Amino acid sequence: MTVTDRQAPGRLPLDEQLDELRAVLARNDTLTEVLTRTATLDLPGWYLTAGCLFQTVWNVVTGRPPEQGIKDYDIFYFDATDLSWEAEDAVIRAGREVYAGLPAEVEIRNEARVHLWYEQKFGVPCPPHDSTESAIDRFAATTCCLGVRWEPGGAWRVYAPHGLSDVFDLVVRPNPVLAPREVYETKTARWKGEWPELTVLPWPA
């Protein structure tokens, strides 16, 4: 089953959705190269996450080039052994060398440090994350709560706490656990402009 077939991928059993996700993401050459290069950094608990994943799916489902409209590629990792900016910056600088020559920006962030700067940037406090997964859980939309990485040997690890049906069905659903409403509405307005086929559900009253 591929997204070129008429059956909606969001209606498939979960194991087939996972197969479909891997097949779709593999069509984005930059994404697969980011996965390959990130694996060499040996970052604890890392995932490639956020827009580059679900936007690749949206592009393929709607017949667009797989990389269209993707601003950057986000790498999350979790290292609570050193919460200094200097330690995170060392990883960022190592990443610049690893990702050199890619036709896209790759951003690396230690999710163990997010609570140190989140309130200043977004105006609400962020409880400390206890894993990369807990950081992904708090994205502004449940549709965004998705992470993938390649394990040793090339096996895919997929974290999708809200499943994959909304991703394939082009539904954006709010996740009011951390990010303010303004963040959700700003992001969804931009996405709707790029992918007008989206169904954006309103922030709860």
Side-chain angles (χ1 to χ4, degrees), residues 84-167:
S84 69
W85 160 245
E86 290 75 15
E88 183 178 28
D89 187 51
V91 174
I92 292 170
R93 286 186 281 107
R96 288 196 190 107
E97 296 184 12
V98 167
Y99 303 123
L102 284 176
E105 181 179 358
V106 182
E107 294 189 358
I108 305 177
R109 292 292 179 267
N110 181 7
E111 295 306 301
R113 294 189 70 252
V114 170
H115 65 285
L116 300 177
W117 53 260
Y118 191 93
E119 185 172 7
Q120 182 177 2
K121 182 173 182 179
F122 294 109
V124 295
C126 174
H129 300 314
D130 58 18
S131 65
T132 313
E133 288 86 354
S134 71
I136 293 173
D137 289 344
R138 295 172 181 171
F139 282 142
T142 59
T143 317
C144 308
C145 298
L146 178 61
V148 302
R149 70 171 178 253
W150 283 351
E151 302 281 33
W156 288 77
R157 180 182 179 90
V158 178
Y159 181 67
H162 300 281
L164 297 170
S165 292
D166 278 354
V167 179

